[in-house]
Amino acid sequence: MRAGGEAPHQVLGRLRFLLQCSECFRRARALPAALCYVPREVQYKICKDPAAAAAAAAARSLLSVWDSPGPARGGKRAARATIEVRKGGCLRATGEEYCNGAGLWVKLSKEQLEEYTSSRDLAEGWLLAQRFGEGGDKLVPVDSVEKIQWQHQTLGVDYKPAVSWEQVVDLTYSMRLGEKPRLAEQDEAAVQKFRSVPPGWSYEHDMELGRFLYDHRERERQCGDCTKEHLSSVEVSSQTEDGSATHLTDNQTYTFWESNGPPGQHWVRLNMKKGTIVKKLWLMLDGQASSYVPRRVAVYGGAPNRLQHLRTVLINENSFQDVCILRDMKIHLPVLEIRILECRGEPVLPDWGCQLSPALNLQLVPAPAALPAALAAFWGLLEEKLGNELHLGCHRCWGLLAPTCSTRALPATQLQLYMQHHCPFLADQGYNVRLRGIKIKSFWEWDLILNADMFQPARLVRYPLLEGVNTDVLYRRAVVIQRFVQLLDSVLCYLIPLSEDSVGTFNALRSMKPFLLLSKQSTALITHCLQSSESTPPHTLPKLYINRHLAREHRTNPALDPSCKNTVFTQLYEGLRSSKNNQPLDYRWPLSYSQWWECEFITEGIIDYGGGFRDSLSDVSEELCPSSGDVAVPLPFFVRTSNQGNSSSDTRDLYVPNPSCRDFPKYEWIGQLMGAALRSKEFLILALPVLVWKQLAGEEVSWSKDFATVDSELVKLLEVLEGVDREAFEFMFGRELTYTIVRSDQRVVELIPNGSSTVVRYEDRKEFIRLVQKARLEESKEQIAAMRAGLLRVVPQPVLDLLTWQQLEKKVCGDPEITVAELRRFITFEDFPSDDTRIQNFLEALNNFTSEDLSRFLKFVTGRSRLPVQITVYPERENLNALDLMPQASTCSCSFFLPNYSSAKACEELLRYAVYNCMSIDTDKNPWDE
């Protein structure tokens, strides 16, 4: 489905359809039937595997039938029946498909089974239409000749039924004149499987599933070198004693492979494991011997006996970096062959190896009488290709060879070896080739296609809402989400106002934003919007004089200077507004513009080539949102959330805009700095809750989920208040609950006129809850609006429309990367013997954690997501002899209680489960007990 090629009536129809789908997702209702369309019958034809010559010539094919999709790779379950299909014949099946690790399956109904088999005990059957990674025959959907003839005779030659879900959407929701094409009959049972909402399913489940699909895709994209995992073996044309072929894959910087053969006959052959698809293939060049570096290489791929040319690459003469010679293969290639056509030191033209060697073989192998003429021709070729400066070498070579050539025949390979020995200028100029290694980024075929095996329990541990949900349910829900995103991609360019003069926004479809993570078009649109709105960088950088000594003094006691004039933030702000820098910065510069101003730190001997500028940004970040919870906040723009004083919260290190601060120009400048970070490679680290990021990105906020990152105790208290009975309400409150609230800045405000003297009655409690939620959700509304206004001065509206709040936070603040080495510095072990295996298992488990896992562990133990914070690890004291228990933590004391584990693997699995699923482990208490 290509974006941009749709007729106006199609675009409008798809927009109507997307709005309806969006509402169904939000309210957890049955999805529109058009999105879930599955044809009742599809004709399949067998496409024979050309690699199997005997099978391709066979007059019939035997297909195995299973009672359910399976077996997966390596499975041993036996087939229930066999179907025979004659050569050139077609097979009738339903349109229902299912994909797992084994391949793509198609379903046969009971009626269709009875047509092809004598079996009567199967209610349905499944055929493997396409096997992943193993080649073989494929089932390809086609229209049979008989069906086409019948349609033409009955309905006319122009009749084309709608047989895909995209066509059904367009026909159902688009306005058109004239008679509409008929819809092919749908498979009611299959459609119902897709439409129905799983028990207990909500919009949050769909968002979590979308995040899982996005993370899965990003993990595949970001995976590192897959050479050892996906490569079966390596063959080479030749090798020296020191330059073995094994060095190509040992990932060492000091080893290399070196050929030992004639020019033009150097190659490396990679035998790939079944099911691998290469996304990138690199040559790792050896800069120690420049004349041995390849200049031109060709890549061939395919079956061993049918290699086809894929790409020829000319390598930059001055480059010694890793060179990508192949990318984005769509199918599995059993063999990849890298042919080195020319080296940098070879004094030859690109076709040297192709033309010279065969000519020599033809002329030198026959009788001795032909040799002098051959050598004369050879010398002439050298003269033509090498130029005048090497004539002496060529004459010397002829003179040395002439006596030998007059007495016996000299094959081409001996001639080349003879010249290598007697003519060093040839050997020195790249006679052989040398590579430091090869690197491959590849995937398993089944990982690139949505399939049910993606939803294995071990992969769902980071997604608590999806755990325990049936694999088939997740797979089918993922299919409809994928269809929805595909349709959204087709009209996304019409939804987003690419011109800055446009007043339109994405607001009408704001509920679709979570699915933009999966969009293939949004990234390109974002890049286009940013590039088209770039401005010319200033010719000279503003030079700012910053006194960080005064700023440090202010941090120790901010109350002494309410104006905060000595902070780095204020010094920068005032310096950029001064008369010396009267040209305002618009921060809309190209990505390559990496320094926005130049800093001179007073009494610090630093020359700012970018480092001082980045230091100033880090200082501003630390002043706005201090990383430590034990220091005063130096600036008035943000205040700590209530959760920072709540030991049971997992979001204890966050800040919200100060509702009492009315300095909106500075809030706007903060927004500009955020926009500048988004457009550049710099970061402004602001520890803001989801509630703020969603409002900056233009997304809807929810009380129960988003405000819980600000004040989780208040969220739970209102939940209890709503469900309490009259007697309990009177007992707990009496006449003490009034229409007032305490905001994040600790100010008490009235919810209604005279609210401090108005008692909340039991029958009015729901209205009170509504007023509290509204007041707290909007307490920083003006400050966030000012920040967003500044952001929009730097970043076009369409960019904010296309970015989800998670993407916005990551682009502004960067990825809060945590390494094991950094975390280890803040961990202290108490009451353990020095050689305790529990410590060894624990550290080994942490070594296998991703950065996100480590961040979750930090939250699990401390309630904070960023370092520094001190963690103390104690032995589990309650069950001393028990093995493999769930770990426990106390966030109020930042303590972790480590049980005894049978292995590091068991420790890793249980610890990972705990940090993703047990974040409320110490909050199971009644909020009224406080």
Side-chain angles (χ1 to χ4, degrees):
M1 186 178 292
R2 182 176 60 83
E6 296 77 17
H9 70 277
Q10 280 182 305
V11 174
L12 293 174
R14 291 178 184 182
L15 290 176
R16 282 192 288 269
F17 177 71
L18 287 169
L19 285 170
Q20 183 180 343
C21 290
S22 178
E23 193 66 15
C24 292
F25 279 121
R26 281 171 49 80
R27 302 187 181 278
R29 295 175 178 168
L31 293 166
L35 185 69
C36 308
Y37 174 79
V38 176
R40 187 172 183 273
E41 182 178 302
V42 175
Q43 297 276 351
Y44 288 92
K45 186 176 181 180
I46 296 181
C47 180
K48 307 295 286 185
D49 183 4
R60 62 192 180 99
S61 297
L62 295 178
L63 304 176
S64 298
V65 181
W66 280 265
D67 53 6
S68 62
R73 295 185 308 280
K76 301 297 183 183
R77 187 157 55 92
R80 296 292 302 275
T82 302
I83 289 178
E84 178 182 324
V85 181
R86 306 297 299 178
K87 187 173 183 179
C90 289
L91 176 75
R92 274 195 325 127
T94 69
E96 184 175 356
E97 298 177 344
Y98 188 90
C99 196
N100 64 11
L104 178 66
W105 298 80
V106 296
K107 178 184 169 184
L108 277 70
S109 65
K110 185 176 181 64
E111 173 194 356
Q112 292 162 344
L113 278 172
E114 292 175 353
E115 179 182 342
Y116 298 109
T117 70
S118 57
S119 176
R120 296 288 185 266
D121 58 343
L122 284 177
E124 63 182 37
W126 291 86
L127 297 173
L128 190 54
Q130 180 180 344
R131 188 181 300 275
F132 286 155
E134 299 182 14
D137 299 345
K138 299 179 182 179
L139 291 179
V140 181
V142 295
D143 278 334
S144 66
V145 176
E146 295 81 3
K147 183 177 180 181
I148 294 174
Q149 289 176 346
W150 177 85
Q151 290 174 351
H152 287 176
Q153 292 170 2
T154 309
L155 305 168
V157 294
D158 295 329
Y159 172 78
K160 290 183 178 180
V163 294
S164 69
W165 68 270
E166 298 100 320
Q167 292 174 316
V168 172
V169 168
D170 288 337
L171 289 175
T172 306
Y173 290 85
S174 298
M175 300 290 290
R176 63 169 67 206
L177 298 175
E179 186 179 357
K180 290 185 178 181
R182 301 184 186 182
L183 300 180
E185 188 178 356
Q186 68 180 18
D187 186 327
E188 295 291 348
V191 169
Q192 191 57 34
K193 290 178 185 177
F194 285 118
R195 288 197 69 193
S196 60
V197 180
W201 196 265
S202 66
Y203 183 47
E204 284 70 28
H205 287 81
D206 282 319
M207 288 192 290
E208 185 123 313
L209 181 55
R211 189 169 67 86
F212 170 86
L213 296 173
Y214 171 78
D215 291 344
H216 176 81
R217 186 181 70 184
E218 289 302 298
R219 273 196 302 272
E220 298 302 328
R221 285 181 176 177
Q222 297 171 9
C223 71
D225 186 10
C226 308
T227 306
K228 293 185 178 179
E229 181 184 359
H230 292 169
L231 189 61
S232 177
S233 64
V234 179
E235 302 174 57
V236 294
S237 55
S238 59
Q239 61 188 19
T240 62
E241 185 176 346
D242 295 331
S244 168
T246 58
H247 295 159
L248 286 170
T249 57
D250 63 6
N251 204 27
Q252 300 294 332
T253 58
Y254 54 85
T255 62
F256 55 84
W257 163 72
E258 184 178 328
S259 66
N260 185 24
Q265 298 183 28
H266 310 303
W267 49 261
V268 176
R269 187 173 296 132
L270 309 177
N271 298 304
M272 307 301 298
K273 291 183 179 178
K274 289 181 176 180
T276 55
I277 296 181
V278 174
K279 284 299 171 183
K280 285 189 178 180
L281 171 62
W282 290 271
L283 291 184
M284 302 165 71
L285 306 182
D286 184 6
Q288 302 299 317
S290 59
S291 61
Y292 287 70
V293 174
R295 176 188 289 147
R296 192 166 61 99
V297 299
V299 186
Y300 290 74
N305 57 343
R306 292 194 324 279
L307 295 179
Q308 295 183 343
H309 179 262
L310 302 175
R311 193 182 182 203
T312 297
V313 179
L314 186 64
I315 300 173
N316 190 306
E317 290 282 345
N318 300 316
S319 174
F320 292 97
Q321 304 295 322
D322 297 347
V323 177
C324 182
I325 60 173
L326 190 69
R327 65 176 70 237
D328 295 330
M329 294 295 99
K330 304 299 183 186
I331 60 172
H332 167 64
L333 299 170
V335 175
L336 288 172
E337 188 170 286
I338 306 165
R339 300 179 185 176
I340 291 85
L341 304 180
E342 180 184 347
C343 287
R344 291 182 186 175
E346 289 181 11
V348 294
L349 294 181
D351 58 350
W352 167 278
C354 301
Q355 293 185 0
L356 179 61
S357 295
L360 285 173
N361 275 309
L362 288 174
Q363 297 179 25
L364 291 178
V365 172
L371 287 176
L375 288 175
F378 180 60
W379 181 86
L381 189 59
L382 283 176
E383 181 179 30
E384 176 187 345
K385 293 185 179 292
L386 301 186
N388 295 329
E389 68 276 14
L390 292 178
H391 277 191
L392 287 176
C394 299
H395 280 294
R396 181 170 67 251
C397 173
W398 184 346
L400 288 168
L401 285 174
T404 305
C405 296
S406 62
T407 58
R408 62 183 177 88
L410 190 65
T413 53
Q414 288 184 325
L415 172 63
Q416 291 163 340
L417 291 173
Y418 191 94
M419 291 183 65
Q420 181 183 11
H421 177 71
H422 292 284
C423 302
F425 73 92
L426 284 178
D428 292 344
Q429 297 191 27
Y431 191 87
N432 288 325
V433 64
R434 182 182 292 181
L435 293 175
R436 188 163 53 83
I438 57 171
K439 189 167 60 174
I440 301 173
K441 182 178 181 180
S442 53
F443 310 103
W444 296 115
E445 189 176 7
W446 43 87
D447 280 338
L448 294 179
I449 300 174
L450 179 62
N451 70 87
D453 284 4
M454 288 167 50
F455 305 103
Q456 297 171 1
R459 294 184 177 183
L460 298 177
V461 70
R462 296 180 177 91
Y463 310 89
L465 290 179
L466 306 183
E467 280 201 301
V469 181
N470 182 273
T471 298
D472 290 352
V473 170
L474 292 176
Y475 168 70
R476 291 191 174 93
R477 197 70 180 179
V479 168
V480 293
I481 289 177
Q482 194 177 64
R483 288 184 176 185
F484 176 83
V485 173
Q486 187 178 339
L487 203 68
L488 179 62
D489 262 348
S490 72
V491 296
L492 195 56
C493 58
Y494 302 106
L495 290 170
I496 302 300
L498 296 182
S499 169
E500 291 196 69
D501 299 329
S502 172
V503 295
T505 70
F506 194 61
N507 285 340
L509 299 171
R510 283 203 305 173
S511 56
M512 299 182 192
K513 283 197 76 171
F515 296 116
L516 284 176
L517 283 172
L518 301 172
S519 169
K520 296 179 181 178
Q521 296 290 330
S522 62
T523 302
L525 289 172
I526 289 170
T527 302
H528 168 78
C529 291
L530 291 176
Q531 290 179 347
S532 62
S533 61
E534 287 176 358
S535 64
T536 304
H539 296 297
T540 57
L541 292 175
K543 189 168 185 177
L544 306 176
Y545 296 88
I546 307 297
N547 191 326
R548 292 201 289 187
H549 296 293
L550 292 178
R552 281 192 286 269
E553 290 176 4
H554 173 81
R555 288 187 197 180
T556 58
N557 194 352
L560 295 178
D561 179 22
S563 68
C564 307
K565 65 179 183 298
N566 290 332
T567 62
V568 174
F569 176 92
T570 305
Q571 292 181 66
L572 288 173
Y573 180 78
E574 296 298 336
L576 291 172
R577 293 177 65 229
S578 68
S579 57
K580 296 179 182 178
N581 302 299
N582 54 10
Q583 182 67 31
L585 304 179
D586 67 7
Y587 304 99
R588 289 188 165 213
W589 308 308
L591 182 64
S592 58
Y593 192 74
S594 58
Q595 187 172 353
W596 313 336
W597 55 74
E598 180 183 346
C599 284
E600 184 168 315
F601 296 117
I602 297 174
T603 73
E604 300 181 51
I606 183 174
I607 300 176
D608 187 6
Y609 291 113
F613 158 70
R614 283 188 288 274
D615 280 353
S616 68
L617 273 187
S618 297
D619 290 337
V620 168
S621 298
E622 189 64 24
E623 289 176 347
L624 291 171
C625 301
S627 56
S628 173
D630 302 325
V631 300
V633 182
L635 290 166
F637 306 110
F638 296 93
V639 294
R640 291 187 168 96
T641 64
S642 301
N643 283 344
Q644 290 217 22
N646 175 13
S647 63
S648 64
S649 172
D650 64 339
T651 51
R652 293 178 57 192
D653 53 356
L654 302 179
Y655 296 78
V656 289
N658 186 350
S660 299
C661 184
R662 316 294 294 177
D663 197 347
F664 297 119
K666 289 182 180 175
Y667 276 112
E668 190 168 332
W669 188 59
I670 293 171
Q672 286 183 279
L673 294 180
M674 296 171 72
L678 187 152
R679 297 187 78 111
S680 72
K681 298 178 182 178
E682 305 303 326
F683 298 122
L684 184 71
I685 301 175
L686 300 176
L688 307 177
V690 175
L691 180 74
V692 176
W693 288 113
K694 279 192 171 183
Q695 292 179 74
L696 290 173
E699 293 188 34
E700 295 175 321
V701 297
S702 71
W703 169 261
S704 60
K705 185 176 181 180
D706 298 331
F707 196 79
T709 61
V710 176
D711 192 344
S712 58
E713 288 296 325
L714 178 61
V715 171
K716 289 186 288 184
L717 187 147
L718 294 185
E719 288 176 357
V720 172
L721 178 61
E722 185 174 12
V724 76
D725 60 27
R726 181 183 292 273
E727 183 179 355
F729 179 87
E730 297 295 342
F731 174 77
M732 286 186 278
F733 295 108
R735 300 182 59 81
E736 295 180 1
L737 185 62
T738 60
Y739 282 89
T740 58
I741 57 162
V742 180
R743 299 190 310 190
S744 294
D745 57 359
Q746 303 307 306
R747 290 188 58 184
V748 178
V749 297
E750 295 182 330
L751 299 174
I752 59 174
N754 300 317
S756 57
S757 57
T758 306
V759 177
V760 179
R761 299 180 300 173
Y762 175 76
E763 53 270 21
D764 297 329
R765 72 190 190 285
K766 291 189 177 180
E767 175 62 14
F768 170 75
I769 291 172
R770 186 190 68 79
L771 291 172
V772 170
Q773 291 177 347
K774 184 177 187 298
R776 292 304 307 272
L777 284 172
E778 297 179 356
E779 65 182 11
S780 302
K781 181 179 179 180
E782 292 177 292
Q783 291 77 11
I784 294 174
M787 292 170 63
R788 181 174 163 87
L791 193 56
L792 286 171
R793 287 181 61 183
V794 181
V795 178
Q797 172 78 55
V799 174
L800 290 189
D801 288 340
L802 288 166
L803 288 173
T804 64
W805 73 264
Q806 298 99 322
Q807 292 172 314
L808 176 62
E809 181 186 19
K810 189 172 182 178
K811 284 182 175 291
V812 172
C813 303
D815 201 353
E817 194 78 21
I818 299 177
T819 65
V820 176
E822 289 175 318
L823 181 61
R824 181 68 181 85
R825 291 171 46 215
F826 298 97
I827 295 179
T828 303
F829 293 94
E830 295 285 349
D831 302 333
F832 285 97
S834 58
D835 59 345
D836 197 302
T837 56
R838 285 173 291 185
I839 295 179
Q840 297 172 12
N841 287 336
F842 174 67
L843 294 177
E844 188 175 336
L846 288 184
N847 279 329
N848 293 327
F849 270 30
T850 64
S851 177
E852 183 184 357
D853 294 341
L854 294 172
S855 179
R856 290 277 187 161
F857 170 77
L858 204 59
K859 279 188 176 182
F860 177 71
V861 180
T862 70
R864 303 181 185 278
S865 59
R866 286 186 169 94
L867 294 171
V869 59
Q870 193 65 42
I871 297 173
T872 307
V873 179
Y874 297 97
E876 168 65 48
R877 295 187 175 124
E878 295 181 2
N879 300 280
L880 298 179
N881 299 320
L883 276 178
D884 299 339
L885 297 177
M886 196 68 70
Q888 298 183 41
S890 173
T891 53
C892 55
S893 60
C894 298
S895 301
F896 179 76
F897 301 99
L898 180 62
N900 198 8
Y901 291 103
S902 57
S903 65
K905 184 67 175 175
C907 178
E908 176 188 344
E909 291 176 352
L910 288 168
L911 183 56
R912 182 178 286 115
Y913 182 87
V915 302
Y916 278 93
N917 296 274
C918 306
M919 298 308 294
S920 299
I921 194 166
D922 58 356
T923 63
D924 296 331
K925 59 182 180 180
N926 192 325
W928 300 106
D929 294 338
E930 291 291 310

